[in-house]
Amino acid sequence: MKDPHWHEMETDEVCRTLECSVNGLTTEQAQARLAHYGANQLPDSAPSSVLKRFFRQFHNILIYVLLASSVITAMLQHWADSLVILAVVLVNAIVGFLQEGKAEQAMQSIRQMLSPRAAVLRDGKRVSLPAGQLVPGDLVLLEAGDRVPADMRLSKAHGLQIQEAVLTGESVPVDKQSAPNPAEAELGDRTAMAFSGTLVTSGQGRGLVVATGTDTQIGRISLMLKEVEPLTTPLVEQMGIFARWLTLLILLIGGLLLLFGHFVMHYPFEELFMTIVGLSVAAIPEGLPAVLTITLAIGVQRMARRNAIVRHLPAIETLGSVSVICTDKTGTLTRNEMQVSTLILAEQTLQVEGQGYHPGGEILDVQHPDRDPPEDLLQEAGLVALLCNDAALHEKAGQWTVEGDPMEGALLSFAAKTGLVPERVRQRWPRTDTIPFDAQHRYMATLHHDHQGHARILLKGAPENVLNLCSRMMTIQGPVNIDKGYWQDRVNQLASGGQRVLALAMKQVPDGQTQLNMSDIDGSLTLIGLLGLIDPPRREAVQAVRECLDAGIRVKMITGDHAGTALAVGRQVGLHNAGQVMTGAELEKLDDVALAMRVNEVDIFARTSPAHKLRLVMALQSQQMTVAMTGDGVNDAPALKRADAGIAMGRKGSEAAKEASDLVLADDNFVSIVAAIREGRTVYDNIKKVISWTLPTSGGEAATIILALLLGMALPVTAIQILWINLITAVTLGIALAFEPTEANSMQRPPRSRQAPLIDGALAWHILLVTLLFLAGVFSIFSYALDKGYSLELARTLALNTLVVMEIFHLFFIRNLYGTSFTWQAIRGTPVIWLMTLTVTAAQFAITYLPPLQKLFGTRPVPLYDGLIVVGIGVALFAVVELEKQLRLRLVP
Ligand code: ATP
């Protein structure tokens, strides 16, 4: 069937064609259509095929070296060695393959948590649904910051602008309206349509869904098939490069040793070559890249469990180094469960009672209980609260919840308390036009007509802005000239108690006026009164702010709210400097240099707009701070992009903000930011632990062989034994570190500098020290055994076991880089650590005592007493490195 040209049809014709009504669909209709049309989704990009993923594991210079070695050993007819090398390669590939699959799955499910939602009218009620459930005929509400969820024919548009770059390449937003377009209009000129995947940059609108999923314009060109982001971060990439250079270095050293051994020491070539192969395998950290990737994937999963959804992997690293958090107030530090508690009129202050959003409760004059609240004025206030409002209240089993802005929900509940019956009032005063709220002018206005030829503008907004628009105020006797001083005092009084203050105003206009423009709101409005809304701080936020301060992280509140309210809330949650506030107006007077000087002192910024947020991020960054910034609106996107870690609100945040962010908070809660930072620090620590364990282990093994070669003595471990150690330990012990939990004192350390190198002086020293200790351990047991007259095979078996035992003890040491290892917690370890340790121990017993393995690896059974010495060497290594750490921690706190 040829597509109908929706853009040239009138909306009622669209309704007829789609068999829907202006009130949207019923749930039954929608379900039937969903079954018929399918979900509103585009097919995912094909997941990389299993086989391809498996073979990708071999595409790695380290693996090439190993494969080449295996071919050469086979040519030399050292079948056992050749097989063991192949086994090393295979086991590594399988582990890498399985872990990568798990990591990909984890990322996939996390991506699904971010699937967008849409506000829809179903059964005549506004509900929020996953965008995938939309069907043709649905009536969808759009507002600034939304990503358009399906192709729609617009039925209403107020200042609606949509950026259609994904479709047309044009980055300037297009004005949208609801009148039909000419038949021949191109996509970019169809102003009566909103297309799936485009972004609403301002205004409001509603439209009928005409196409979903692959039937949409974007679905047809399949532009949305996003590339899967590789599972890596700059640090891990750096390590990958480091590992490659290390491989080259080791090959070079191997080559030189081969020449030296052959021409200077006159070793037989074949044996020498095998030894060099063993050396290379030992020294090349082939398991490292895989283990680092796993560490990242585990970090991402842990963050998701704490309601922080990572969108860009590099953010995990950045989060660990955050030194200042710039946070919103409403919903992040406070609960965003608003309730109107005070109504201030020209002559009376009234208390509004009730519970949550339940639309019942009394309005009383507590100071003068004998005075009745003035009914007329109450209803005027109620009228603005009810009609200048886009939210809806729903009741389910006695529980009232809001659909839309919680503050507007509170206003609906308040309106019901003034005695108005919402349905009746809405029918009597239908809305003709709207100026939607935006953070710039800070008010919302609506135009209404009744059926008797009256028209009025209703307006609500921030008191500073609304007062400037009013010339009169309502009193019991009727409107009189406004007394601004009185109202300003009242605003300050409400704000200093931490209440959010909203002013309500109205204006009668001629019946003929059907459009509402900014110019109609010209300073001739009549103020009705002020509403004070309470929004209690989250109790857990107080604790989280304290945790940040302990961790050397400053917390700054950046809010669009009144300075007084911001100060009161700042005090309640325990901000560091809760005595000072800078307003957006003050901030604007400072140039960038002056702002950079002041930004450290002030922790509370009030009446700010999104542009101020961007300037604050830059000012903080110029002070070498690593900035995490939260945001929710479409205009917050530049600040979120510029911040080192941009954090969007999952619930109240717009799609635009989410897309500009690195991290999305599923619960909008400040506590989740702090949890994410803690996890970020843990991931960094674990990456460091993996490296701190792997490099000295490789170093120790390699040094053992090199030293023996240079000294011209018998090798303490043979090539094939070294291969065995790599086979079992590289893929077991190292991985355990990826699962390490957060160290106890992780949030008592100051943030790490972003410039700090991963392998710093302390780590380099650790690598050297442990390498030397490994050497000492292996050579001690080896010469002890030879002195005792043991066979060379038994001496080697002892050396081999000593190496592995030292690796295990070193692993237990590494678990606590920053604290003592002598706590019950540290000794108890984690299930993964013990599982890996037991596996390796069992493998060691097998190679030492099982005859077939003894034959293959040239080992001999170890007497009990000597076995104890081997374990003793491990204990000694542990004691030395632990003491050294304690000394170092005390020297450099
Ligand atoms: P916070 O940091 O507390 O989340 P914000 O930066 O989100 O604040 P805005 O939503 O920009 O603050 O609101 C700024 C002011 O605008 C509010 O203090 C309130 O007075 C007014 N305001 C907010 N929402 C509306 C609305 N829907 N209609 C009218 N006025 C509003």
Side-chain angles (χ1 to χ4, degrees), residues 145-370:
D146 286 350
R147 209 153 276 270
V148 178
D151 281 3
M152 300 196 279
R153 170 69 173 83
L154 294 167
S155 57
K156 273 196 184 142
H158 302 285
L160 186 66
Q161 289 192 321
I162 299 187
Q163 201 249 42
E164 299 184 327
V166 264
L167 272 187
T168 60
E170 177 57 68
S171 62
V172 180
V174 183
D175 285 313
K176 295 286 179 179
Q177 47 80 53
S178 55
N181 303 125
E184 67 281 3
E186 295 290 331
L187 265 197
D189 299 326
R190 295 185 188 171
T191 54
M193 302 287 297
F195 296 107
S196 181
T198 59
L199 186 70
V200 182
T201 52
S202 59
Q204 274 183 338
R206 54 174 63 189
L208 290 158
V209 172
V210 296
T212 57
T214 43
D215 295 334
T216 58
Q217 294 294 337
I218 196 95
R220 291 180 199 178
I221 49 176
S222 301
L223 259 184
M224 296 295 272
L225 300 184
K226 284 211 188 99
E227 283 279 302
V228 179
E229 201 183 353
L231 199 60
T232 185
T233 70
L235 206 73
V236 170
E237 235 165 69
Q238 242 177 30
M239 282 316 296
I241 297 171
F242 170 78
R244 250 175 280 155
W245 281 105
L246 192 64
T247 308
L248 284 182
L249 178 72
I250 291 163
L251 291 182
L252 182 70
I253 294 178
L256 291 177
L257 277 177
L258 196 62
L259 295 178
F260 173 82
H262 190 61
F263 294 109
V264 182
M265 309 288 287
H266 306 293
Y267 288 123
F269 181 80
E270 213 171 286
E271 197 180 304
L272 181 64
F273 180 79
M274 284 316 302
T275 310
I276 303 276
V277 168
L279 162 72
S280 313
V281 177
I284 293 175
E286 58 274 344
L288 191 60
V291 178
L292 291 183
T293 308
I294 298 161
T295 313
L296 286 182
I298 291 170
V300 171
Q301 273 177 309
R302 282 187 184 160
M303 285 192 192
R305 237 174 277 141
R306 303 297 309 267
N307 288 318
I309 303 159
V310 178
R311 288 190 68 248
H312 293 138
L313 276 166
I316 307 182
E317 258 165 41
T318 325
L319 277 168
S321 66
V322 161
S323 56
V324 56
I325 307 174
C326 298
T327 171
D328 275 355
K329 173 176 70 67
T330 308
T332 319
L333 291 171
T334 68
R335 293 199 208 147
N336 208 6
E337 289 162 6
M338 301 241 183
Q339 197 180 328
V340 176
S341 82
T342 321
L343 168 64
I344 298 189
L345 301 169
E347 292 131 323
Q348 244 173 317
T349 297
L350 302 170
Q351 187 171 315
V352 184
E353 309 215 306
Q355 274 298 318
Y357 297 109
H358 183 280
E362 293 209 52
I363 301 181
L364 317 160
D365 187 337
V366 191
Q367 282 154 356
H368 310 97
D370 47 317

Side-chain angles (χ1 to χ4, degrees), residues 28 45 141 159 539 549 556 565 602 659 699 732 801 837 840:
E28 289 81 53
S45 50
L141 312 176
R539 207 173 317 136
L549 297 180
K556 297 191 188 279
T565 315
V602 184
E659 285 169 24
T732 48
N801 278 303
T837 306
V840 171

Side-chain angles (χ1 to χ4, degrees), residues 328-330 405 407-408 437 439 442-444 460-463 500-502 558-562 607-608 632 652:
D328 275 355
K329 173 176 70 67
T330 308
D405 179 0
M407 185 185 77
E408 294 198 334
F437 171 79
R442 296 203 182 94
Y443 64 74
M444 165 179 177
K460 72 177 198 299
R500 168 171 272 216
V501 192
L502 213 57
I558 302 184
T559 171
D561 218 331
H562 187 276
R607 287 295 187 227
T608 50
D632 47 19
K652 69 170 186 170

Side-chain angles (χ1 to χ4, degrees), residues 407-482:
M407 185 185 77
E408 294 198 334
L411 295 184
L412 291 180
S413 157
F414 161 76
K417 294 173 194 171
T418 64
L420 297 179
V421 183
E423 308 311 281
R424 221 179 292 152
V425 178
R426 283 201 194 99
Q427 268 168 18
R428 189 170 155 217
W429 288 102
R431 193 194 285 190
T432 347
D433 206 359
T434 312
I435 299 178
F437 171 79
D438 80 45
Q440 191 85 41
H441 49 257
R442 296 203 182 94
Y443 64 74
M444 165 179 177
T446 50
L447 174 66
H448 301 263
H449 287 79
D450 72 358
H451 307 287
Q452 283 87 41
H454 303 110
R456 42 168 71 183
I457 297 173
L458 305 180
L459 180 141
K460 72 177 198 299
E464 299 96 307
N465 303 61
V466 178
L467 279 177
N468 282 337
L469 303 172
C470 296
S471 55
R472 301 174 69 73
M473 63 184 190
M474 279 197 189
T475 68
I476 298 173
Q477 284 75 37
V480 299
N481 282 342
I482 194 166

Side-chain angles (χ1 to χ4, degrees), residues 762-808:
L763 182 52
W765 159 241
H766 178 77
I767 295 175
L768 183 70
L769 176 69
V770 176
T771 302
L772 291 177
L773 289 174
F774 268 50
L775 267 186
V778 172
F779 278 96
S780 309
I781 192 91
F782 190 60
S783 28
Y784 154 85
L786 292 181
D787 275 357
K788 266 195 121 181
Y790 289 168
S791 67
L792 182 61
E793 283 75 18
L794 181 54
R796 282 181 170 157
T797 311
L798 283 170
L800 164 74
N801 278 303
T802 307
L803 254 179
V804 176
V805 165
M806 285 195 293
E807 285 182 8
I808 294 176

